Amino acid sequence: MLVPAAQFLSYAEAVALYQLLKKAEVDALVKTCGPPSFPFGDGMYYQLLIEEADVPLARDTVEVFEQQRTTPKALRCPRCGAEGSAPLPRPKWWQRLYYAGTVLHKCPSCGAVFPV
């Protein structure tokens, strides 16, 4: 019987986890799930189904993948790649208008201002 190993993944995440499980010699099936992207269309999300007997083999791989997936990525400057950029405390009026809905950050190394 097939049981879900992971649910509500993007397509790229589902393919990455499928490849990891394949390396661990666990057969998996990628299937759409969740609400449809358009009426009568495929689901917006994907899930991986594995055999119930393979659950102990896949448990460690899935746990490591979920940990990496939920850990936020470090914010890097797009110009120099430095970490540690902080939100711009007082953007100019035109920046507030142009970048509405985003938060501007300033790089401590090169001084670049970029939206996040």
Side-chain angles (χ1 to χ4, degrees), residues 30-65:
V30 178
K31 186 177 175 186
T32 60
C33 72
S37 57
F38 192 74
F40 311 112
D42 288 336
M44 292 175 28
Y45 301 106
Y46 295 85
Q47 66 179 344
L48 261 76
L49 301 172
I50 60 173
E51 285 290 334
E52 199 169 354
D54 291 338
V55 169
L57 293 172
R59 183 171 290 132
D60 291 336
T61 305
V62 172
E63 286 177 1
V64 169
F65 179 80

Side-chain angles (χ1 to χ4, degrees), residues 24-107:
E25 298 180 2
V26 175
D27 293 328
L29 173 70
V30 178
K31 186 177 175 186
T32 60
C33 72
S37 57
F38 192 74
F40 311 112
D42 288 336
M44 292 175 28
Y45 301 106
Y46 295 85
Q47 66 179 344
L48 261 76
L49 301 172
I50 60 173
E51 285 290 334
E52 199 169 354
D54 291 338
V55 169
L57 293 172
R59 183 171 290 132
D60 291 336
T61 305
V62 172
E63 286 177 1
V64 169
F65 179 80
E66 286 294 328
Q67 183 67 28
Q68 291 174 350
R69 182 177 168 226
T70 57
T71 304
K73 305 284 188 258
L75 185 61
R76 295 186 167 274
C77 174
R79 184 185 292 170
C80 67
E83 292 182 8
S85 57
L88 194 62
R90 202 167 159 94
K92 297 178 174 100
W93 70 269
W94 65 269
Q95 289 174 329
R96 289 194 306 264
L97 181 65
Y98 186 76
Y99 296 108
T102 61
V103 178
L104 290 175
H105 283 70
K106 186 171 184 176
C107 176

